[in-house]
Amino acid sequence: MRSPAELDDVRWSDLTHAYGSAEDVPELIRALYEDDEEAADEAVYELYGNIHHQGTIYQASAPAVPFLAHAALHAPGRREDMLMLLAVLADHGPGLAESPHWPDSDVAAVCAELCAVLPALLPCLEDPERGVRRAALRMVATVADVLPDGPRALAVEQVEALYTDDPVPAVRADALIVLNRFGRTLEPLDSPLPEVRLAAAQLAAERSGPPYAPELVEIFAEDGTEPDPGDDDFPWSDTTTQEQRLTDLLTQDPDVGLTVAARWIGAGDFGSQGSWLAEGIAASWRDKEREVLSLSLAALPHARDTAALRTRFRVIGHWIDLLPEPDADLRNALHRHAGAEDETAEPALLALTHSRDPRAVDLVLERPTARLLEAAAQRFPEAADRLIPVIRRELAAGATGNDGIALVRALDPFGAEARAAEPELIDCLRTRRAAIAAARLPAPTA
């Protein structure tokens, strides 16, 4: 562990990071100790961006580790940040440490430095702040496979204490995961704590792969959306959170995933977790769109604000386009929302248009935005006599940018009938409004 007073002992200018010379690293580390909170926040951001950039580390990463460890213990209010930065710097895939390329790699150098300072950082596992304990557990987990015997025994002892006695269930669940990283295969599926049961079920599912045992599925469905009062769901290895890892697991078994998503949505769709799971399944597996859209309909009443409801309509609009005959209940729900007088009406109407429900045309003509007109033209070319005059009117009003491009493209499905818009298209070319789109529009055949 090294203090800021030793920063000048490292020839940072001879080292590189994501943006070239690492000569700025000492200044960033010193800023962590300053009273200027904004400068310290910026320093953390910059360090995440240069010595660790989108999962890649560099020559300067390992030399920074002893200084970051010192900052974790002594920089005011930066303990969580520094412990997590150390964790992501040392992150590496399973089995990588046994690769013949490991000894000469930058990540091996980072892990060696972290192993050296880890004994001094282990007291962070007893920090009164739950976020610090959780970050410290992730840091320990990243080097579980390369820790020498002495520090390893100390770390396991303290992690076991957290697993047994910590007052925060989420911390106990984290400790269970770390113990498994150390080779302790524990599966407390009958734990009285939902967070621990869920972590145990995830570990068991990761080991077994799909199809998942019914008892695991029941735990996922029952405990998977149990709200935790904290906001410190830090990532684990590969920069994914535990919630993301669960979603990925369930997506691998689509039938189980849809079953769990239905349970989550039925329980209130907390954090839209059931909706996101269903969408992930639709994105990964074909022929699941109808089931996913049925779940999306069930999730609509649980959208907690306008932004969430707009998101749900955008998702529905994407997948409903792929169904030859969308269900009437869903189309009727979209029609009701499309007639609303709020910010959710347009995405609902766009989804209704994508469903090819004929009622959409009337509503689009009542509120003709460029995006809605383009969507209606693509799906209702038979309505040319009603849509083309409105498209011409909007073009003549001087639509520019993306709106102008969308309006020009809206003419494409109409063939010869689009000839009526020739004056507006010529004006687009003359004024350079959506000129490229207008020039590329196929000449209408007589």
Side-chain angles (χ1 to χ4, degrees):
M1 193 171 302
R2 307 183 72 175
S3 73
E6 300 174 85
L7 280 165
D8 292 336
D9 294 342
V10 178
R11 295 176 61 88
W12 298 99
S13 60
D14 292 342
L15 303 173
T16 58
H17 56 40
Y19 300 104
S21 172
E23 58 189 355
D24 60 337
V25 170
E27 179 184 356
L28 295 174
I29 292 176
R30 290 189 179 100
L32 300 173
Y33 294 82
E34 301 297 330
D35 293 333
D36 187 340
E37 185 172 353
E38 184 176 344
D41 286 340
E42 181 65 22
V44 173
Y45 176 81
E46 292 291 334
L47 288 166
Y48 265 96
N50 56 29
I51 60 173
H52 175 271
H53 183 74
Q54 297 180 354
T56 302
I57 58 173
Y58 303 87
Q59 288 179 339
S61 303
V65 167
F67 296 100
L68 300 176
H70 186 279
L73 295 180
H74 302 289
R78 295 293 150 189
R79 189 157 293 175
E80 280 184 31
D81 291 331
M82 292 301 99
L83 292 172
M84 280 309 304
L85 180 51
L86 289 168
V88 298
L89 285 171
D91 185 32
H92 57 277
L96 184 60
E98 298 178 10
S99 163
H101 304 292
W102 173 262
D104 298 323
S105 66
D106 290 328
V107 68
V110 167
C111 288
E113 293 286 356
L114 182 54
C115 288
V117 299
L118 191 70
L121 294 173
L122 287 178
C124 294
L125 292 170
E126 300 174 351
D127 193 277
E129 295 292 331
R130 57 171 270 166
V132 172
R133 300 199 300 280
R134 300 193 76 187
L137 282 165
R138 282 152 178 77
M139 177 197 64
V140 171
T142 59
V143 290
D145 60 334
V146 294
L147 268 177
D149 290 343
R152 178 187 179 89
L154 289 173
V156 169
E157 180 181 357
Q158 290 197 239
V159 172
E160 284 180 334
L162 288 180
Y163 172 60
T164 304
D165 298 323
D166 198 276
V168 176
V171 176
R172 290 198 188 191
D174 290 347
L176 171 66
I177 295 169
V178 178
L179 288 174
N180 274 263
R181 297 283 181 90
F182 279 113
R184 296 279 307 280
T185 304
L186 303 174
E187 293 187 2
L189 299 176
D190 58 349
S191 170
L193 303 175
E195 293 86 350
V196 174
R197 288 197 302 268
L198 183 62
Q202 286 185 241
L203 290 167
E206 287 172 352
R207 281 190 288 269
S208 71
Y212 305 126
E215 63 178 339
L216 303 183
V217 176
E218 178 59 28
I219 291 174
F220 295 149
E222 183 67 24
D223 301 325
T225 58
E226 183 73 20
D228 177 73
D231 57 359
D232 48 10
D233 188 16
F234 301 120
W236 288 89
S237 300
D238 67 23
T239 69
T240 58
T241 65
Q242 194 70 348
E243 181 179 310
Q244 291 169 320
R245 294 172 76 87
L246 177 55
T247 298
D248 291 344
L249 272 175
L250 292 171
T251 301
Q252 294 173 31
D253 190 335
D255 292 329
V256 162
L258 289 171
T259 298
V260 172
R263 288 275 295 273
W264 290 353
I265 290 171
D269 202 20
F270 178 79
S272 299
Q273 194 172 351
S275 298
W276 290 122
L277 173 56
E279 183 185 357
I281 291 169
S284 301
W285 299 87
R286 294 282 69 88
D287 301 325
K288 298 296 181 184
E289 292 87 2
R290 192 172 297 279
E291 295 96 321
V292 168
L293 285 167
S294 176
L295 291 176
S296 297
L297 174 61
L300 287 178
H302 300 303
R304 287 167 171 77
D305 52 40
T306 298
L309 198 54
R310 285 172 62 88
T311 297
R312 297 277 66 79
F313 288 135
R314 283 195 293 269
V315 171
I316 291 171
H318 175 75
W319 296 113
I320 205 170
D321 219 5
L322 303 178
L323 289 185
E325 294 183 14
D327 293 342
D329 287 346
L330 179 55
R331 289 188 286 109
N332 289 336
L334 292 174
H335 185 260
R336 288 194 300 273
H337 285 280
E341 296 295 332
D342 58 34
E343 296 178 12
T344 67
E346 182 169 347
L349 178 51
L350 187 61
L352 183 68
T353 305
H354 285 190
S355 77
R356 298 168 300 283
D357 188 303
R359 294 174 293 179
V361 177
D362 291 332
L363 292 174
V364 168
L365 292 173
E366 290 175 9
R367 51 183 76 180
T369 68
R371 188 179 182 193
L372 287 170
L373 286 167
E374 181 184 15
Q378 290 172 351
R379 290 156 184 88
F380 303 102
E382 69 278 6
D385 60 327
R386 303 175 65 195
L387 293 170
I388 289 176
V390 179
I391 295 169
R392 292 183 64 188
R393 185 189 71 201
E394 296 298 314
L395 281 172
T400 60
N402 290 334
D403 283 348
I405 293 170
L407 289 169
V408 170
R409 288 195 306 222
L411 294 168
D412 191 22
F414 297 131
E417 294 176 272
R419 190 180 297 278
E422 189 173 294
E424 289 77 24
L425 293 174
I426 291 173
D427 190 62
C428 284
L429 294 171
R430 182 180 61 81
T431 60
R432 298 184 179 181
R433 295 182 296 113
I436 294 177
R440 289 177 175 172
L441 192 69
T445 57

